[in-house]
Amino acid sequence: METVDIALIMLAFLLSVTFTLLVIKRLNILGIVSEDLHKKERPRKPKIGGVGIAAAFTISIVAAYFLKSSFVFAIILLAFLTEATIGLIDDLLQFAPWRKLVLASFGAIPLLLLIPIEPFTIVILFFAVTIASNWTNMLAGFNGLESGLGAIMLFFIALSTPMQNAQIILLIYAAALVGFLIFNKYPAKIFPGDVGTLPIGTVLIAATLIGAPFYKLAILFIPHVVDAILKFTTFGVFSSAQTKPTEVRAGFLTPPKNGNKSYLSLSRVILKFKPLREWELVSVIWGLEILLGMVTIIV
C-alpha cells in the first residue's frame, strides 16, 4: 500500500471524527433526536449521524479521484451518495417499508456504468443492491452494531480484493465508519440512521463489480441473511414501530414476551440462550462477523 493510500484512509478517519462531533452538537440543537430504546431511562440522542460519515467519505473519495485519476472513484461515490440521500429522506419522512425497499434500488443506477448493459445483468444488479442495502439496515438497533459490522465487512472484503482502487475505496469507508463508531459505541452519543446504514450494502455490492470476490461477500453476509429470514418469517415486511422492542431488565437485554407484536431476529435468538448487556450482545455479533471474515481469508 502506498503512502498516499494510507494518508487517504487516515483522512477519512479524522474527518469522520470531526464531522461527527459537529453533527452531534448541531442535531441536538435542532432537536433531531430519537430514543435509545435499550436503556432504562430511554435517553434521546441525535439520529441521523450518518451525514458525518457521508461527508468524510465524500471528501476522501474526491481526493482519491484527483490523486489517482480513476473514474471508478466517481462512480462508487455517486452510488454511495444516491443511497445515502434515500436514507436521509427516509430518516426524515419515514417511508413505508415497501417504499423504502423499492427506493433503495436506486443506488444501483450509477453502477450501471460498471456492468454490461444486458437485461438479466441489470435486474441482478438492482436486486443485489436492494437486498444488500436493506440487510445492512435491518441488522441494527443496538449501540455500535451497524457501524461496527460495516467496518468489519469492508475491512475483510478489502483484504480479499486484488484491485488496489477497490481496496482503497473499501478501507476509506471502513475508516470513516470507525471514526463514527467512537461516538456510536455503547453508550451511544449518536445513531447512524438509514443515511448511515443503507449505503454500506450498496458499496459492498459495488466492490464485487470492481474485483471483490462475490462468494466471500456472501460469507460475510451470513448473519444478515439469518436475521432477515427470521424477521421475515415471523412478522413479514412491517415497520419496526409496529413491533415490541427488545426488553431491558436489570441492565440485561431479553426478548419480549410472546405476543402478536413479537418477532425473531438474530439478536433475539442469541438472547434466548442467555440475557446479555447491550455491549455484550453487540460484541457477540461482531465476534461472529470477525470469525466469518477470517474464513474469507483462508477459503
Short mmCIF file of all heavy atoms in Angstrom, two decimals, residues 168-204:
data_model
loop_
_atom_site.label_atom_id
_atom_site.label_comp_id
_atom_site.label_asym_id
_atom_site.label_seq_id
_atom_site.Cartn_x
_atom_site.Cartn_y
_atom_site.Cartn_z
N ILE A 168 -8.76 0.58 -1.72
CA ILE A 168 -8.71 1.92 -1.13
C ILE A 168 -10.10 2.43 -0.82
O ILE A 168 -10.36 3.01 0.24
CB ILE A 168 -7.96 2.90 -2.06
CG1 ILE A 168 -6.52 2.43 -2.26
CG2 ILE A 168 -7.98 4.30 -1.48
CD1 ILE A 168 -5.77 2.16 -0.99
N ILE A 169 -11.03 2.24 -1.75
CA ILE A 169 -12.42 2.68 -1.53
C ILE A 169 -12.99 2.01 -0.28
O ILE A 169 -13.59 2.67 0.59
CB ILE A 169 -13.29 2.36 -2.75
CG1 ILE A 169 -12.88 3.23 -3.94
CG2 ILE A 169 -14.78 2.56 -2.42
CD1 ILE A 169 -13.51 2.83 -5.25
N LEU A 170 -12.80 0.70 -0.17
CA LEU A 170 -13.35 -0.06 0.95
C LEU A 170 -12.71 0.34 2.27
O LEU A 170 -13.39 0.49 3.29
CB LEU A 170 -13.15 -1.56 0.70
CG LEU A 170 -13.95 -2.14 -0.47
CD1 LEU A 170 -13.45 -3.53 -0.82
CD2 LEU A 170 -15.44 -2.18 -0.14
N LEU A 171 -11.39 0.54 2.27
CA LEU A 171 -10.69 0.91 3.50
C LEU A 171 -10.99 2.34 3.91
O LEU A 171 -11.05 2.66 5.11
CB LEU A 171 -9.19 0.68 3.34
CG LEU A 171 -8.77 -0.79 3.22
CD1 LEU A 171 -7.28 -0.90 2.95
CD2 LEU A 171 -9.14 -1.57 4.48
N ILE A 172 -11.18 3.23 2.94
CA ILE A 172 -11.59 4.60 3.26
C ILE A 172 -12.95 4.59 3.95
O ILE A 172 -13.17 5.27 4.97
CB ILE A 172 -11.64 5.46 1.97
CG1 ILE A 172 -10.22 5.85 1.53
CG2 ILE A 172 -12.48 6.73 2.19
CD1 ILE A 172 -10.17 6.57 0.20
N TYR A 173 -13.87 3.80 3.41
CA TYR A 173 -15.21 3.71 4.01
C TYR A 173 -15.14 3.09 5.40
O TYR A 173 -15.78 3.56 6.35
CB TYR A 173 -16.11 2.89 3.09
CG TYR A 173 -17.59 3.04 3.35
CD1 TYR A 173 -18.09 3.88 4.35
CD2 TYR A 173 -18.52 2.34 2.57
CE1 TYR A 173 -19.46 4.01 4.56
CE2 TYR A 173 -19.88 2.46 2.78
CZ TYR A 173 -20.34 3.29 3.77
OH TYR A 173 -21.69 3.42 4.00
N ALA A 174 -14.33 2.03 5.54
CA ALA A 174 -14.18 1.39 6.85
C ALA A 174 -13.63 2.38 7.87
O ALA A 174 -14.08 2.44 9.02
CB ALA A 174 -13.26 0.18 6.73
N ALA A 175 -12.66 3.19 7.46
CA ALA A 175 -12.07 4.18 8.36
C ALA A 175 -13.09 5.22 8.78
O ALA A 175 -13.12 5.66 9.94
CB ALA A 175 -10.87 4.84 7.69
N ALA A 176 -13.94 5.65 7.84
CA ALA A 176 -14.98 6.62 8.16
C ALA A 176 -15.97 6.04 9.18
O ALA A 176 -16.42 6.74 10.10
CB ALA A 176 -15.70 7.05 6.89
N LEU A 177 -16.29 4.76 9.02
CA LEU A 177 -17.21 4.11 9.97
C LEU A 177 -16.57 3.97 11.34
O LEU A 177 -17.24 4.13 12.37
CB LEU A 177 -17.62 2.73 9.43
CG LEU A 177 -18.61 2.74 8.27
CD1 LEU A 177 -18.78 1.35 7.70
CD2 LEU A 177 -19.97 3.30 8.71
N VAL A 178 -15.27 3.66 11.38
CA VAL A 178 -14.59 3.54 12.67
C VAL A 178 -14.55 4.89 13.39
O VAL A 178 -14.74 4.96 14.61
CB VAL A 178 -13.16 2.99 12.47
CG1 VAL A 178 -12.37 3.06 13.78
CG2 VAL A 178 -13.21 1.54 11.99
N GLY A 179 -14.32 5.97 12.64
CA GLY A 179 -14.35 7.30 13.24
C GLY A 179 -15.70 7.60 13.86
O GLY A 179 -15.78 8.18 14.95
N PHE A 180 -16.75 7.21 13.17
CA PHE A 180 -18.11 7.39 13.70
C PHE A 180 -18.36 6.48 14.89
O PHE A 180 -19.04 6.85 15.85
CB PHE A 180 -19.13 7.12 12.59
CG PHE A 180 -20.56 7.16 13.05
CD1 PHE A 180 -21.20 8.36 13.25
CD2 PHE A 180 -21.26 5.98 13.29
CE1 PHE A 180 -22.52 8.41 13.69
CE2 PHE A 180 -22.57 6.02 13.72
CZ PHE A 180 -23.21 7.23 13.92
N LEU A 181 -17.82 5.26 14.83
CA LEU A 181 -18.05 4.26 15.88
C LEU A 181 -17.57 4.73 17.25
O LEU A 181 -18.11 4.32 18.28
CB LEU A 181 -17.36 2.95 15.49
CG LEU A 181 -17.51 1.76 16.44
CD1 LEU A 181 -18.99 1.38 16.61
CD2 LEU A 181 -16.71 0.56 15.93
N ILE A 182 -16.58 5.57 17.27
CA ILE A 182 -16.08 6.11 18.54
C ILE A 182 -17.22 6.74 19.34
O ILE A 182 -17.27 6.64 20.58
CB ILE A 182 -14.97 7.15 18.28
CG1 ILE A 182 -13.72 6.46 17.71
CG2 ILE A 182 -14.61 7.91 19.56
CD1 ILE A 182 -12.64 7.42 17.27
N PHE A 183 -18.16 7.35 18.64
CA PHE A 183 -19.29 8.02 19.30
C PHE A 183 -20.58 7.19 19.27
O PHE A 183 -21.52 7.52 19.98
CB PHE A 183 -19.53 9.37 18.62
CG PHE A 183 -18.29 10.22 18.53
CD1 PHE A 183 -17.53 10.23 17.37
CD2 PHE A 183 -17.87 10.98 19.61
CE1 PHE A 183 -16.38 11.00 17.29
CE2 PHE A 183 -16.73 11.75 19.54
CZ PHE A 183 -15.96 11.75 18.38
N ASN A 184 -20.59 6.16 18.46
CA ASN A 184 -21.78 5.33 18.30
C ASN A 184 -21.75 4.08 19.18
O ASN A 184 -22.77 3.46 19.42
CB ASN A 184 -21.93 4.94 16.83
CG ASN A 184 -23.14 4.07 16.54
OD1 ASN A 184 -23.01 3.03 15.91
ND2 ASN A 184 -24.30 4.47 16.99
N LYS A 185 -20.54 3.71 19.67
CA LYS A 185 -20.43 2.53 20.53
C LYS A 185 -21.12 2.79 21.86
O LYS A 185 -21.41 3.94 22.22
CB LYS A 185 -18.96 2.16 20.75
CG LYS A 185 -18.16 3.21 21.53
CD LYS A 185 -16.74 2.77 21.74
CE LYS A 185 -15.93 3.85 22.45
NZ LYS A 185 -16.45 4.22 23.77
N TYR A 186 -21.38 1.73 22.60
CA TYR A 186 -22.05 1.83 23.89
C TYR A 186 -21.24 2.66 24.89
O TYR A 186 -20.04 2.45 25.02
CB TYR A 186 -22.27 0.42 24.46
CG TYR A 186 -23.01 0.40 25.76
CD1 TYR A 186 -24.39 0.26 25.79
CD2 TYR A 186 -22.32 0.50 26.97
CE1 TYR A 186 -25.07 0.24 26.99
CE2 TYR A 186 -22.99 0.48 28.17
CZ TYR A 186 -24.37 0.36 28.17
OH TYR A 186 -25.04 0.34 29.37
N PRO A 187 -21.87 3.59 25.59
CA PRO A 187 -23.24 4.12 25.39
C PRO A 187 -23.22 5.17 24.29
O PRO A 187 -22.45 6.12 24.33
CB PRO A 187 -23.57 4.75 26.74
CG PRO A 187 -22.22 5.17 27.29
CD PRO A 187 -21.22 4.18 26.78
N ALA A 188 -24.06 4.99 23.31
CA ALA A 188 -24.02 5.82 22.10
C ALA A 188 -24.35 7.28 22.38
O ALA A 188 -25.27 7.59 23.14
CB ALA A 188 -24.99 5.26 21.06
N LYS A 189 -23.59 8.14 21.72
CA LYS A 189 -23.88 9.57 21.75
C LYS A 189 -24.64 10.01 20.50
O LYS A 189 -25.12 11.14 20.43
CB LYS A 189 -22.58 10.38 21.87
CG LYS A 189 -21.80 10.12 23.15
CD LYS A 189 -20.51 10.91 23.17
CE LYS A 189 -19.75 10.70 24.47
NZ LYS A 189 -19.30 9.30 24.65
N ILE A 190 -24.71 9.10 19.52
CA ILE A 190 -25.35 9.42 18.24
C ILE A 190 -25.70 8.11 17.53
O ILE A 190 -25.03 7.09 17.73
CB ILE A 190 -24.43 10.29 17.36
CG1 ILE A 190 -25.17 10.82 16.15
CG2 ILE A 190 -23.16 9.53 16.98
CD1 ILE A 190 -24.39 11.90 15.39
N PHE A 191 -26.76 8.14 16.72
CA PHE A 191 -27.17 6.98 15.93
C PHE A 191 -26.92 7.26 14.45
O PHE A 191 -27.00 8.41 14.01
CB PHE A 191 -28.64 6.66 16.14
CG PHE A 191 -29.04 6.50 17.59
CD1 PHE A 191 -30.15 7.15 18.10
CD2 PHE A 191 -28.28 5.71 18.44
CE1 PHE A 191 -30.51 7.00 19.43
CE2 PHE A 191 -28.63 5.56 19.78
CZ PHE A 191 -29.75 6.21 20.28
N PRO A 192 -26.64 6.22 13.64
CA PRO A 192 -26.33 6.46 12.22
C PRO A 192 -27.54 6.81 11.37
O PRO A 192 -27.42 7.58 10.42
CB PRO A 192 -25.72 5.13 11.77
CG PRO A 192 -26.31 4.12 12.69
CD PRO A 192 -26.46 4.82 14.01
N GLY A 193 -28.71 6.24 11.69
CA GLY A 193 -29.88 6.44 10.84
C GLY A 193 -29.72 5.66 9.54
O GLY A 193 -28.66 5.09 9.25
N ASP A 194 -30.76 5.66 8.72
CA ASP A 194 -30.69 4.98 7.42
C ASP A 194 -29.64 5.61 6.52
O ASP A 194 -29.05 4.93 5.67
CB ASP A 194 -32.06 5.02 6.74
CG ASP A 194 -33.07 4.12 7.42
OD1 ASP A 194 -32.69 3.41 8.38
OD2 ASP A 194 -34.25 4.13 7.01
N VAL A 195 -29.40 6.90 6.69
CA VAL A 195 -28.37 7.57 5.89
C VAL A 195 -26.99 6.96 6.16
O VAL A 195 -26.11 7.00 5.30
CB VAL A 195 -28.36 9.09 6.18
CG1 VAL A 195 -28.03 9.37 7.63
CG2 VAL A 195 -27.38 9.81 5.27
N GLY A 196 -26.83 6.36 7.33
CA GLY A 196 -25.56 5.75 7.67
C GLY A 196 -25.48 4.26 7.40
O GLY A 196 -24.38 3.71 7.33
N THR A 197 -26.64 3.60 7.25
CA THR A 197 -26.63 2.14 7.11
C THR A 197 -26.92 1.64 5.69
O THR A 197 -26.31 0.67 5.24
CB THR A 197 -27.64 1.51 8.08
OG1 THR A 197 -28.95 2.06 7.84
CG2 THR A 197 -27.25 1.78 9.52
N LEU A 198 -27.84 2.28 4.99
CA LEU A 198 -28.18 1.81 3.64
C LEU A 198 -26.98 1.80 2.68
O LEU A 198 -26.80 0.83 1.92
CB LEU A 198 -29.30 2.66 3.05
CG LEU A 198 -30.72 2.43 3.58
CD1 LEU A 198 -31.69 3.45 2.98
CD2 LEU A 198 -31.20 1.02 3.29
N PRO A 199 -26.12 2.84 2.69
CA PRO A 199 -25.02 2.85 1.71
C PRO A 199 -24.00 1.74 1.90
O PRO A 199 -23.26 1.42 0.97
CB PRO A 199 -24.38 4.23 1.93
CG PRO A 199 -25.42 5.05 2.61
CD PRO A 199 -26.18 4.09 3.45
N ILE A 200 -23.92 1.15 3.10
CA ILE A 200 -22.92 0.11 3.34
C ILE A 200 -23.14 -1.06 2.39
O ILE A 200 -22.20 -1.54 1.73
CB ILE A 200 -22.97 -0.38 4.80
CG1 ILE A 200 -22.61 0.77 5.76
CG2 ILE A 200 -22.00 -1.55 5.01
CD1 ILE A 200 -22.83 0.44 7.23
N GLY A 201 -24.38 -1.52 2.29
CA GLY A 201 -24.67 -2.63 1.40
C GLY A 201 -24.42 -2.29 -0.05
O GLY A 201 -23.92 -3.12 -0.83
N THR A 202 -24.75 -1.06 -0.44
CA THR A 202 -24.54 -0.63 -1.82
C THR A 202 -23.06 -0.64 -2.20
O THR A 202 -22.67 -1.14 -3.26
CB THR A 202 -25.10 0.79 -2.03
OG1 THR A 202 -26.50 0.78 -1.73
CG2 THR A 202 -24.90 1.26 -3.46
N VAL A 203 -22.22 -0.11 -1.33
CA VAL A 203 -20.77 -0.08 -1.61
C VAL A 203 -20.19 -1.49 -1.62
O VAL A 203 -19.30 -1.80 -2.43
CB VAL A 203 -20.04 0.82 -0.59
CG1 VAL A 203 -18.54 0.71 -0.76
CG2 VAL A 203 -20.49 2.27 -0.76
N LEU A 204 -20.68 -2.37 -0.77
CA LEU A 204 -20.20 -3.75 -0.76
C LEU A 204 -20.52 -4.45 -2.08
O LEU A 204 -19.70 -5.18 -2.64
CB LEU A 204 -20.79 -4.51 0.42
CG LEU A 204 -20.20 -4.16 1.79
CD1 LEU A 204 -21.06 -4.74 2.91
CD2 LEU A 204 -18.77 -4.68 1.91
#
